[in-house]
Amino acid sequence: MPHVTLYALEDDLAGREPGIIGGLTDAVVSVYGEWARASVDVRLIGIPAGRWARGGVPVTTAAPSVTFGLREEVFARPDAAEVTARLVAAFTDAVTAVFGDGYREDVLVELVGQPTTRSGLGGTLISEGGARR
């Protein structure tokens, strides 16, 4: 199950939830195919004013950032460089389509590989055949 988490200032995020949920889901589908749509898990984290800082000072504007959790095996595939570049571009496009192109240069996309030996679902390690959704 691909996990997408978007972090944005709460005031910037409010009211944009449907658009960004759809855009982030579509970004995953654009790389993996339609079969992935039903399993994309999107989490939106709105950060209240005063709780996002840079250089020790709270910011009043910040580009949203995206963290995408996927199985680490993706990084070992022969096409890993292409897949990761497509994911970064698709997530950046999804964010800027909703929040505006003025943020493009500052959108951070982090691709985080999860080893199946350190992930569990339904109380069982995924590598041991744990429940699948």
Side-chain angles (χ1 to χ4, degrees):
M1 178 183 317
H3 299 283
V4 185
T5 305
L6 177 120
Y7 299 88
L9 290 170
E10 180 63 40
D11 290 343
D12 290 343
L13 181 59
R16 293 181 165 146
E17 295 90 347
I20 198 63
I21 289 168
L24 294 172
T25 301
D26 289 346
V28 174
V29 170
S30 75
V31 174
Y32 287 102
E34 191 61 41
W35 67 267
R37 182 176 301 280
S39 64
V40 176
D41 184 47
V42 176
R43 298 173 189 142
L44 305 178
I45 309 294
I47 301 171
R51 292 194 180 172
W52 188 321
R54 188 169 294 115
V57 179
V59 297
T60 56
T61 62
S65 66
V66 176
T67 301
F68 183 55
L70 64 165
R71 290 192 176 171
E72 71 177 351
E73 293 86 14
V74 169
F75 300 115
R77 294 171 35 162
D79 62 347
E82 177 189 344
V83 170
T84 56
R86 289 177 59 205
L87 285 167
V88 168
F91 285 131
T92 302
D93 289 346
V95 169
T96 57
V98 173
F99 289 89
D101 205 50
Y103 284 123
R104 180 172 296 278
E105 295 299 316
D106 295 317
V107 173
L108 173 66
V109 176
E110 297 175 289
L111 306 177
V112 180
Q114 279 298 119
T116 57
T117 58
R118 291 186 294 196
S119 300
L121 185 62
T124 305
L125 285 173
I126 292 173
S127 61
E128 295 176 358
R132 307 261 184 217
R133 288 188 189 171

